[in-house]
């Protein structure tokens, strides 16, 4: 096999490596760095699929390796971030372990994806990278050392994210979203026509505006927008 055929799997391994580093950053309480490495893992996750398509380098090993890497980067890493965050805000010995519902349901979601032939061009349930990015960026934004626009007031958000029951509620809600039957659109473009890609263009446009306005804090809002748009499209289609 040509060395070119190994490029997608190499990129997938970089995804896995980034997820491992993110987990260590979480253990050390470096939530901003953990978020950066999860975001980096998401970039590699996007690039390995693109490389496989461009190089026609699909393989069963690549498919399994991708899922294993995603369990670490988008399951275990955000689970570790949530565990140590709950350790900081909760005066309870056992409550932080609820965080590990995220890797459990992420693994279930990835297993379903691998055997579900309906998810070739779109998703059913929240993709694991989106789920991971929501949590790690939300918690990283609470770090006072993270640069934020001067006009952004984090006091209200810190009141919410600093509430252990709100965090537990979000964990339960997003664990459900990972495995539910809600159709969600993919960001993969088959062409650049507005008619075929309207939701993608709208999401990207809003994402750019949110990133300019909120920087790191934009990511949770982008994920929420993605979920709401998917709900609207699903309702519109079934109506």
């Amino acid at each position: 096999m040509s060395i070119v055929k190994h490029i997608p799997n190499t990129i997938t391994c970089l995804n896995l490596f980034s997820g491992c580093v993110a987990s260590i950053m979480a253990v050390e309480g470096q939530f901003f760095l953990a978020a950066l490495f999860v975001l980096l893992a998401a970039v590699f996750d996007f690039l390995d699929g693109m490389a496989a398509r461009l190089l026609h380098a699909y393989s069963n090993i690549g498919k399994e390796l991708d899922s294993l890497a995603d369990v670490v980067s988008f399951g275990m890493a955000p689970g570790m971030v949530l565990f140590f965050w709950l350790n900081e805000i909760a005066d309870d010995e056992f409550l932080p372990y609820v965080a590990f519902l995220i890797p459990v349901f992420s693994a279930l979601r990835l297993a379903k994806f691998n055997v579900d032939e309906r998810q070739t061009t779109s998703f059913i349930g929240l993709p694991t990278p989106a789920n991971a990015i929501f949590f790690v960026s939300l918690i990283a934004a609470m770090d006072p050392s993270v640069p934020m626009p001067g006009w952004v007031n984090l006091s209200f958000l810190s009141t919410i994210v600093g509430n252990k029951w709100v965090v537990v509620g979000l964990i339960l809600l997003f664990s459900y979203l990972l495995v539910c039957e809600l159709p969600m659109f993919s960001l993969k473009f088959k062409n650049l026509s507005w008619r075929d890609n309207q939701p993608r263009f709208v999401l990207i446009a809003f994402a750019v505006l949110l990133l300019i306005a909120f920087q790191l804090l934009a990511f949770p809002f982008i994920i929420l927008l993605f979920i709401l748009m998917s709900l609207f499209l699903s309702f519109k289609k079934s109506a």
Side-chain angles (χ1 to χ4, degrees):
M1 180 183 289
S2 167
I3 192 171
V4 173
K5 299 294 185 181
H6 292 290
I7 291 176
N9 288 350
T10 301
I11 299 173
T12 303
C13 289
L14 292 173
N15 166 7
L16 176 57
F17 182 83
S18 299
C20 292
V21 176
S23 299
I24 296 301
M25 293 300 102
V27 173
E28 296 181 353
Q30 301 289 332
F31 299 131
F32 176 59
L33 289 177
L36 289 182
F37 276 99
V38 169
L39 288 169
L40 183 60
V43 172
F44 287 132
D45 185 52
F46 175 80
L47 291 177
D48 66 4
M50 178 185 291
R53 289 189 294 273
L54 290 175
L55 300 172
H56 302 288
Y58 298 103
S59 68
N60 290 331
I61 289 178
K63 181 179 179 181
E64 298 302 325
L65 181 61
D66 185 68
S67 293
L68 291 170
D70 287 357
V71 167
V72 175
S73 297
F74 310 126
M76 196 63 196
M80 295 286 279
V81 168
L82 285 163
F83 176 84
F84 286 100
W85 175 252
L86 283 170
N87 256 338
E88 287 190 9
I89 66 173
D91 54 350
D92 189 300
E93 182 180 357
F94 300 105
L95 189 64
Y97 289 94
V98 174
F100 293 121
L101 288 175
I102 293 297
V104 169
F105 278 86
S106 295
L108 287 170
R109 192 265 179 277
L110 289 162
K112 285 182 63 178
F113 178 80
N114 282 350
V115 299
D116 192 343
E117 296 180 356
R118 298 172 297 170
Q119 300 191 57
T120 54
T121 58
S122 61
F123 300 113
I124 298 176
L126 184 66
T128 55
N131 180 71
I133 289 170
F134 174 85
F135 281 110
V136 298
S137 57
L138 188 64
I139 293 171
M142 297 300 99
D143 188 334
S145 66
V146 175
M148 283 286 174
W151 63 272
V152 175
N153 188 342
L154 293 176
S155 58
F156 175 71
L157 187 62
S158 63
T159 301
I160 296 174
V161 182
N163 186 309
K164 62 184 180 181
W165 297 117
V166 171
V167 175
V168 168
L170 287 172
I171 290 171
L172 295 175
L173 173 62
F174 276 75
S175 293
Y176 168 74
L177 288 174
L178 284 167
V179 296
C180 71
E181 288 292 303
L182 173 65
M184 296 191 176
F185 63 92
S186 167
L187 288 179
K188 295 177 182 177
F189 287 81
K190 290 186 177 180
N191 56 60
L192 295 178
S193 73
W194 167 257
R195 181 177 180 180
D196 294 337
N197 299 287
Q198 186 174 343
R200 298 171 182 85
F201 283 126
V202 171
L203 180 62
I204 290 171
F206 274 102
V208 171
L209 293 175
L210 287 167
L211 285 167
I212 293 171
F214 295 100
Q215 298 178 13
L216 179 67
L217 189 56
F219 286 105
F221 294 113
I222 294 170
I223 302 305
L224 289 175
L225 178 61
F226 169 65
I227 295 170
L228 291 174
M229 287 180 63
S230 295
L231 280 168
F232 172 76
L233 292 171
S234 177
F235 176 78
K236 183 180 179 182
K237 187 176 180 180
S238 60

